[in-house]
Amino acid sequence: MSHELTVLGIESSCDDTAAAILRTRSDSAQVASSVVFGQTEVHAPYGGVVPELAARAHVEKLDLAVTEALNRAEMQLADIDLIAVTAGPGLIGGVLSGVMLAKGLSVSTGIPFIGVNHLAGHALTPRFTDDFVFPYLMLLVSGGHCQFLRVDGAEAFVRLGGTIDDAPGEAFDKTARLLGLPQPGGPEVESAAKAGDPTRYTFPRPLLDRAGCDMSFSGLKTALLRARDAIVADKGGMTSQDRADLCAGFQASIVDVLIEKSHRALANCPEVTGFAVAGGVAANQAVRAGLEALAMASNVPFAAPPLKFCTDNAAVIAWAGAEAYRAGQRSDLGLSARPRWPLDQTAPALLGSGKKGAKA
Ligand code: KG4
Ligand code: ZN
């Protein structure tokens, strides 16, 4: 068995300030602590993440998150072998705050540090939560990202396709806003959809007619807006049943697109040993159930890691850092914070950039 590496992970690329400590071996990990300070109240009045406010909140909370992670793990910095920090992609002010903290800690203690791609953190999660072995297929689906990756190694990713505009979480959030539901919109829309009839309103299934695994979700909100306005024009307002039916129709459209495109991604890479999903939208039961049923029908093991490791957190950054470190990667003080950092450098550049920053 490989030797143990105790890793401090630091994450601050969007609106969660996180620190975690993982005891890792090459094929397993034990989470000693995982601390996440969210910023929901900071951004609530603005209906979306405000980058400057996010950066300030990270600066205020990052060292507290690290101290809390050490306390919960009953450890001190002297117990840490490696510091892994998100170095991109994300909102640059937040990423910079984390990178500067990691550099400062490293210089003052002599502990080596390594810059981690946030998306690699998500993509490698099933390696320690579900013992996945390479190569496997990953659908990363959150408020800022939506892409299919074939994960061939800790630093080898092939992007098979992704959204060309909004991410599904963003579409859920916009739908909630249009229907007067609170943010974040995903859980609200899902809960309203439970009482709804998904067949009353049929929304578009964009790009299903186009080959490949690319997706588009920005047109959905326009369709939803029209349907909402037609109801209001007709009756002078919306009943809760109308709202539930709109949510159910919208969710059915997202689920259909994700399932069909996942089907194509699986067909494109028969060599994969499993299919995993990560990101906040993976919390959605209809999405999870649809993807799991597809994997079963395709005879491929399926993993949806526990939600706390699906959404933004620092444990997955620590794990990705450990994998890269074991593969010989090191960072030095020249490490830059990167707003954009595609995992697959050979994939064509994407269009657009969402409310939560660049979709790399
Ligand atoms: O991964 P995450 O915590 O943050 C990033 O976007 O990086 O994902 C948050 C997104 C939000 O857009 C939220 O509305 C969505 O995930 N989400 C959901 C559900 N829970 C969270 N979307 C659909 N159904 C849910 N149950
Ligand atoms: Zn994320």
Side-chain angles (χ1 to χ4, degrees):
M1 237 202 197
S2 66
H3 75 287
E4 193 171 291
L5 206 58
T6 301
V7 188
L8 167 66
I10 299 173
E11 156 63 35
S12 55
S13 65
C14 187
D15 57 352
D16 290 303
T17 311
I21 295 172
L22 242 68
R23 286 199 194 88
T24 69
R25 291 189 178 274
S26 62
D27 56 358
S28 64
Q30 186 210 337
V31 181
S33 64
S34 180
V35 176
V36 180
F37 295 141
Q39 301 179 354
T40 310
E41 313 83 64
V42 175
H43 305 290
Y46 307 98
V49 177
V50 182
E52 183 58 32
L53 296 181
R56 286 173 197 216
H58 286 307
V59 170
E60 275 171 24
K61 291 279 175 66
L62 265 167
D63 54 345
L64 298 177
V66 169
T67 306
E68 182 68 19
L70 287 166
N71 287 344
R72 286 193 203 169
E74 298 183 358
M75 283 188 200
Q76 302 180 335
L77 278 174
D79 300 313
I80 303 295
D81 301 312
L82 172 70
I83 299 167
V85 62
T86 299
L91 299 173
I92 193 66
V95 180
L96 257 176
S97 316
V99 167
M100 294 308 287
L101 175 65
K103 286 182 181 177
L105 282 174
S106 175
V107 167
S108 59
T109 58
I111 303 168
F113 75 102
I114 187 160
V116 170
N117 185 311
H118 177 86
L119 302 173
H122 283 305
L124 295 171
T125 305
R127 299 261 301 143
F128 78 93
T129 58
D130 292 82
D131 297 329
F132 263 36
V133 293
F134 304 124
Y136 57 87
L137 178 69
M138 160 63 66
L139 168 60
L140 182 51
V141 61
S142 71
H145 305 288
C146 184
Q147 56 185 301
F148 289 103
L149 293 163
R150 198 184 69 212
V151 186
D152 291 344
E155 297 170 279
F157 306 91
V158 178
R159 190 179 176 284
L160 304 167
T163 183
I164 59 167
D165 43 50
D166 289 357
E170 209 173 345
F172 270 100
D173 293 341
K174 285 177 179 168
T175 292
R177 218 165 288 135
L178 289 174
L179 299 179
L181 295 168
Q183 296 293 314
E188 300 289 335
V189 172
E190 177 176 17
S191 141
K194 290 205 171 92
D197 170 6
T199 61
R200 181 167 156 210
Y201 300 101
T202 310
F203 294 111
R205 269 71 172 154
L207 299 195
L208 281 195
D209 54 344
R210 202 190 289 180
C213 303
D214 280 341
M215 293 163 278
S216 162
F217 298 101
S218 70
L220 266 176
K221 65 176 180 292
T222 318
L224 188 107
L225 178 66
R226 286 215 189 93
R228 181 202 71 177
D229 288 350
I231 296 171
V232 173
D234 187 31
K235 308 194 211 169
M238 258 190 311
T239 64
S240 58
Q241 189 59 53
D242 293 332
R243 189 181 281 123
D245 292 343
L246 287 170
C247 287
F250 162 83
Q251 182 172 279
S253 164
I254 298 259
V255 170
D256 275 3
V257 171
L258 289 177
I259 289 176
E260 175 53 29
K261 295 288 176 166
S262 300
H263 183 60
R264 290 185 201 176
L266 279 169
N268 282 347
C269 40
E271 66 280 23
V272 294
T273 61
F275 176 35
V277 62
V281 179
N284 186 290
Q285 290 305 322
V287 169
R288 252 173 133 96
L291 296 176
E292 185 163 19
L294 169 72
M296 272 184 77
S298 311
N299 231 347
V300 174
F302 178 73
L307 206 57
K308 62 182 176 199
F309 300 132
C310 268
T311 54
D312 285 352
N313 69 91
V316 303
I317 302 304
W319 173 262
E323 288 230 55
Y325 189 80
R326 287 179 198 280
Q329 283 280 347
R330 302 289 182 270
S331 292
D332 58 29
L333 292 177
L335 175 72
S336 309
R338 301 174 61 173
R340 281 187 182 250
W341 185 1
L343 272 181
D344 179 353
Q345 309 278 348
T346 62
L350 287 178
L351 306 172
S353 124
K355 74 177 164 69
K356 293 195 169 180
K359 295 181 192 75

